[in-house]
Amino acid sequence: MGSSLKVVGLGPGDSALLTPQAQKAITDADVIVGYTLYVDLVPEELKEGKELVSTGMMGEMARCEKAIEIALSGKSTVVVCSGDPGIYAMSGLIYELAEEHLDTLEIEVVAGIPALSAASALLGAPLMHDFAVISLSDLLTEWDIIEKRLKAAAEADFVIVLYNPKSKRRDWQIGKALEIVGTVRDAGTPVGLVKSAYRKEQEVKVFSLNSFDIEQVDMLSTIIIGNSTTRMIGQNIVTPRGYLKKYRK
Amino acid sequence: MGSSLKVVGLGPGDSALLTPQAQKAITDADVIVGYTLYVDLVPEELKEGKELVSTGMMGEMARCEKAIEIALSGKSTVVVCSGDPGIYAMSGLIYELAEEHLDTLEIEVVAGIPALSAASALLGAPLMHDFAVISLSDLLTEWDIIEKRLKAAAEADFVIVLYNPKSKRRDWQIGKALEIVGTVRDAGTPVGLVKSAYRKEQEVKVFSLNSFDIEQVDMLSTIIIGNSTTRMIGQNIVTPRGYLKKYRK
């Protein structure tokens, strides 16, 4: 073991949500690698004196290969991701691409507050019961598989968290997803939309399933669809765990 | 608005994983309410000069009612939870019990690193693709519903995260859950067991689905079952997102 590569979660982006463990990992590193937007999210004081490799135009594969190459050269390296690096982010690809180097490269994943937790906190308490997390990006996954999972999650009454609902080139998936869920779930089911959680552009909106405005969804959105028991309490989406039903019959 | 009640996530328990936002919420409070074990997890320096209401023997309902009562009396109050307060924890019950007080009581949820993120980070990268989160506790949920969700998640090839797999009085559910998943998933599917993540008693173990040792599961365990694509890379459980399949055909 000589080389160190850490995949670090920045959380939503506000430094108030960056864990001390993540701060320390960045502070201890020689090099910070990441998509430009994410490197920008790293607090300035943590970047001082570091070599920054921000890769706006580079794809995920090239970025991870670059990070591994730098770490193997002996420089202590962090790859920064928004949210949690373990949820639809870079930790998996780092392990896959570094497979032949595991004897000499020490890889560590440093968890961050995931988008699902940030969205949930801003919406109230929608994730109090079983939930399914589904990415609507069909760039790497066939749409048939995504559709099968949407149906299964809807029919088994999971609360559903949607990641990657839309991008410049993917605009119809979110409408289709809501249509699938709508075939088995009430039209009035609360649906929460959180954009740019804990950043200055933050927006938090609540719709019902049949009034959801897909025009408002962007690349930085997370969507949470309630299950059959989810209801509004004031402005908050709450999925009861079942205490009141059991103890106040 | 006069009274403030915050439901604060401590994360796994190590203060290195406690966000600055959560630290500040605790520092700003007059009173800390929580299950004894969770109040113990709050760093000593944050507890200095605070009124502590730790409720070892009190049930969740009584604890939340107490916290709401204290907050309504004008004392700034935090309820502390391990992990994320929004995932199988106290934020939902707080909203339910405070429903009639929302005009005067300001409630905020402060996210924490959830158990699923902590377990994922320690196991490698098992949550790189769609996953379902299921609690095996049938105290508040009928087992039929849990079983239905296990089947649906298994059949739709979700990675599966199990919360509350076992307790003193619930010992058969984990075996049954693995049996259900085993009817549709390969015997060799990697299954990760993480106990007391980021605490000194931490244990991280990897099994295959047909060799999983349920005797090793305890109340503080989180279990992650891979999907059909999940594989071992070194000692790490990794679910590929699909980059290599797409770009290295």
Side-chain angles (χ1 to χ4, degrees):
Chain A
M1 289 295 174
S3 304
S4 159
L5 178 56
K6 295 184 182 184
V7 195
V8 175
L10 301 173
D14 184 332
S15 61
L17 286 156
L18 184 69
T19 68
Q21 189 187 41
Q23 288 181 44
K24 183 170 188 310
I26 296 168
T27 303
D28 291 348
D30 301 315
V31 187
I32 302 174
V33 180
Y35 181 60
T36 310
L37 176 65
Y38 303 153
V39 173
D40 289 348
L41 289 177
V42 176
E44 286 306 323
E45 66 271 23
L46 298 185
K47 285 188 277 201
E48 251 171 53
K50 308 289 181 196
E51 184 181 338
L52 303 180
V53 182
S54 69
T55 57
M57 301 306 289
M58 206 183 276
E60 287 90 346
M61 294 262 295
R63 195 187 316 153
C64 287
E65 279 166 344
K66 185 81 186 164
I68 292 165
E69 180 193 318
I70 295 170
L72 286 171
S73 80
K75 292 176 180 171
S76 171
T77 305
V78 290
V79 176
V80 292
C81 309
S82 75
D84 185 320
I87 299 179
Y88 303 117
M90 291 296 106
S91 64
L93 189 52
I94 288 286
Y95 278 112
E96 288 184 272
L97 294 172
E99 185 161 12
E100 62 192 290
H101 302 294
L102 292 183
D103 288 343
T104 50
L105 185 63
E106 189 174 8
I107 298 174
E108 184 184 338
V109 179
V110 177
I113 298 283
L116 64 92
S117 291
S120 169
L122 292 169
L123 289 167
L127 302 183
M128 282 289 108
H129 217 302
D130 304 331
F131 60 97
V133 183
I134 301 172
S135 167
L136 295 188
S137 172
D138 56 356
L139 298 177
L140 298 172
T141 305
E142 288 167 33
W143 179 255
D144 282 354
I145 293 177
I146 299 170
E147 193 163 315
K148 182 181 178 181
R149 288 179 182 159
L150 286 165
K151 280 181 186 161
E155 283 166 6
D157 204 26
F158 282 98
V159 176
I160 299 173
V161 184
L162 300 177
Y163 273 65
N164 306 310
K166 206 181 195 177
S167 73
K168 278 177 198 159
R169 284 177 290 182
R170 292 186 303 103
D171 61 356
W172 58 266
Q173 288 82 353
I174 177 62
K176 183 71 184 165
L178 293 169
E179 185 190 315
I180 290 167
V181 177
T183 60
V184 290
R185 214 160 280 186
D186 277 357
T189 304
V191 181
L193 167 64
V194 176
K195 293 157 81 165
S196 300
Y198 296 100
R199 298 183 195 166
K200 63 178 187 299
E201 310 83 6
Q202 172 183 299
E203 288 183 49
V204 180
K205 293 188 178 172
V206 175
F207 302 89
S208 58
L209 192 49
N210 68 345
S211 75
F212 189 86
D213 182 5
I214 61 173
E215 294 304 317
Q216 299 201 33
V217 178
D218 67 12
M219 281 186 69
L220 300 171
S221 298
T222 304
I223 293 165
I224 301 183
I225 307 171
N227 75 4
S228 66
T229 70
T230 304
R231 66 186 184 93
M232 296 305 296
I233 294 182
Q235 304 298 309
N236 311 286
I237 301 181
V238 178
T239 304
R241 179 85 189 276
Y243 292 103
L244 299 197
K245 193 176 159 202
K246 177 156 181 171
Y247 296 110
R248 286 198 179 160
K249 265 178 185 162
Chain B
M1 289 296 171
S3 304
S4 159
L5 178 57
K6 295 185 181 182
V7 195
V8 175
L10 301 174
D14 184 330
S15 62
L17 287 155
L18 184 69
T19 68
Q21 189 186 42
Q23 287 180 43
K24 183 172 188 308
I26 296 168
T27 303
D28 291 350
D30 301 314
V31 187
I32 302 174
V33 180
Y35 181 59
T36 310
L37 177 65
Y38 304 151
V39 173
D40 289 349
L41 290 177
V42 177
E44 286 304 323
E45 65 272 23
L46 298 184
K47 286 190 275 202
E48 249 171 56
K50 309 289 183 195
E51 183 180 338
L52 303 180
V53 181
S54 70
T55 58
M57 300 306 290
M58 207 183 275
E60 287 91 347
M61 293 263 294
R63 194 187 316 152
C64 288
E65 279 166 345
K66 185 79 185 168
I68 291 166
E69 181 193 316
I70 294 169
L72 286 172
S73 79
K75 292 176 179 169
S76 172
T77 305
V78 290
V79 175
V80 292
C81 308
S82 74
D84 186 320
I87 299 179
Y88 303 116
M90 292 295 104
S91 64
L93 189 53
I94 288 286
Y95 278 112
E96 288 185 272
L97 293 172
E99 184 159 12
E100 62 192 290
H101 303 295
L102 292 183
D103 289 343
T104 50
L105 184 63
E106 190 173 6
I107 297 174
E108 184 183 338
V109 179
V110 177
I113 298 283
L116 64 90
S117 291
S120 168
L122 292 168
L123 289 167
L127 303 183
M128 281 291 107
H129 217 302
D130 305 330
F131 60 97
V133 183
I134 301 173
S135 166
L136 295 188
S137 172
D138 56 357
L139 298 176
L140 298 171
T141 305
E142 288 167 33
W143 179 255
D144 282 355
I145 294 177
I146 299 169
E147 193 164 315
K148 183 180 177 181
R149 289 179 181 157
L150 287 165
K151 280 181 186 161
E155 284 167 5
D157 204 25
F158 282 98
V159 176
I160 299 174
V161 184
L162 299 177
Y163 272 66
N164 306 311
K166 204 181 199 178
S167 73
K168 277 178 201 161
R169 284 177 291 183
R170 292 186 303 103
D171 61 356
W172 58 266
Q173 287 84 353
I174 177 63
K176 182 72 185 166
L178 293 169
E179 186 191 313
I180 290 167
V181 177
T183 60
V184 290
R185 214 160 281 185
D186 277 357
T189 305
V191 180
L193 168 64
V194 177
K195 293 157 83 166
S196 301
Y198 296 101
R199 299 183 195 168
K200 62 179 188 300
E201 310 83 8
Q202 172 182 301
E203 287 182 47
V204 179
K205 294 189 176 171
V206 176
F207 302 89
S208 58
L209 192 49
N210 68 344
S211 74
F212 190 85
D213 181 4
I214 61 173
E215 295 304 318
Q216 299 201 31
V217 178
D218 67 12
M219 281 185 68
L220 301 171
S221 297
T222 304
I223 293 165
I224 300 183
I225 307 171
N227 75 4
S228 67
T229 69
T230 305
R231 69 185 184 95
M232 297 304 297
I233 294 183
Q235 303 299 307
N236 311 286
I237 301 181
V238 178
T239 304
R241 179 84 187 278
Y243 293 102
L244 298 197
K245 194 176 157 199
K246 177 156 181 169
Y247 297 109
R248 285 201 181 158
K249 267 177 186 167

